Amino acid sequence: MTQNLDFKRNTAVGLDLGWVNSIKVNRNAADRRAASLANRRTVKKEYQAAWLIRAVQCMDLTTLGGDDTPGRVERLCMKAMRPLRADLMQALGLESLTTGAVCVYHEMITPAVKILQGRLPIAAVSTAFPAGLSSLETKIREIELSVAAGATEIDIVITRQHVLTGNWQALYDEMVAYRAACGDAHVKAILATGDLVTLDNVAKASWVCMMAGADFIKTSTGKEGVNATIPVSLVMVRAIREYYEQTGFQVGYKPAGGVSTAKSALQYLTVMKEELGNDWLQPHLFRIGASSLMTDIERQLEHYVTGAYSAAHRHAQP
């Protein structure tokens, strides 16, 4: 897939506390708009197939289990490089297809590098994922080690207490430090929106992380009680749109946690298209954090090709 060669990576623009403190989200209006997007009739037939292929291209194929092994990660990487069976690829007229990246813990970077050999980005979760409750020095060192091991993207978790106490300067300084530690590796800021209580907090945290140079803002670790939702996504992508209008920097968006069906993936693609436009429907600006989603997408594409659904167990698992 061709990416925008004129793309400018986001850089820290300075913390504007006046702007951050003025942010207010109309919860009722956000819920109404989210419901209209989520309930919209989905695309069908060849259009649905095309959208699902785009979802694959924008997927961070993920394994973040305590029982991860090098063998599991190697299988994940093979799946990321060949996400669909050869017969489906041929029927769909596709010569090549990969996911956007693979996402793993730090200890699993080495087996991922062994298989991918630079052919796909490797995203590593970092900064005491998922709770983020370690010292700043420890978290920065963790980023540095992951980059040295071969990670080209770092998914950091913010310190939620900075948001919950309104300490926006501390959140900004933390994000600036993470961005510096990443160097050339792109950084996705995980807000853990299920822990932030209000949509106002989600919007403010989004702005502060972008002002500090985040390349992406991401909903969740997948470990919170509530993960990605359409209302939260609407607030975050509108912050991205306004930030672009003010600064000229395009920041990416990543919903994660609970995006496990083709239907839900299509809903997030719709949000991106409606709120940000086609420019954001590219893997350098949109990712879906997922593990089981690939199986359902493959089943839906097989149905499009053959007219029949196959059992989930027939599709390869990483």
Side-chain angles (χ1 to χ4, degrees), residues 13 29 59 99 114 129 138-139 141 147 158 170 172 179 188-189 192 208 238 245 247:
V13 297
M59 187 185 302
T99 66
K114 173 185 173 183
F129 178 97
T138 298
K139 290 186 281 190
R141 184 57 178 153
V147 172
I158 67 169
Y172 178 86
R179 171 73 154 78
K188 307 189 195 88
V208 172
R238 286 188 169 179
E245 290 170 352
T247 68

Side-chain angles (χ1 to χ4, degrees), residues 182-260:
C182 286
D184 291 335
H186 284 212
V187 56
K188 307 189 195 88
I190 307 173
L191 305 187
T193 54
D195 292 342
L196 300 189
V197 183
T198 70
L199 290 182
D200 284 357
N201 281 344
V202 171
K204 291 176 180 181
S206 297
W207 269 93
V208 172
C209 287
M210 291 189 292
M211 288 173 173
D215 295 295
F216 268 72
I217 51 175
K218 174 179 170 182
T219 60
S220 319
T221 67
K223 311 295 185 181
E224 292 86 53
V226 177
N227 295 293
T229 68
I230 298 299
V232 159
S233 296
L234 181 64
V235 169
M236 293 175 70
V237 300
R238 286 188 169 179
I240 288 171
R241 186 176 67 198
E242 292 172 1
Y243 183 78
Y244 171 65
E245 290 170 352
Q246 290 195 23
T247 68
F249 290 119
Q250 293 176 291
V251 174
Y253 178 64
K254 179 177 174 180
V259 189
S260 59

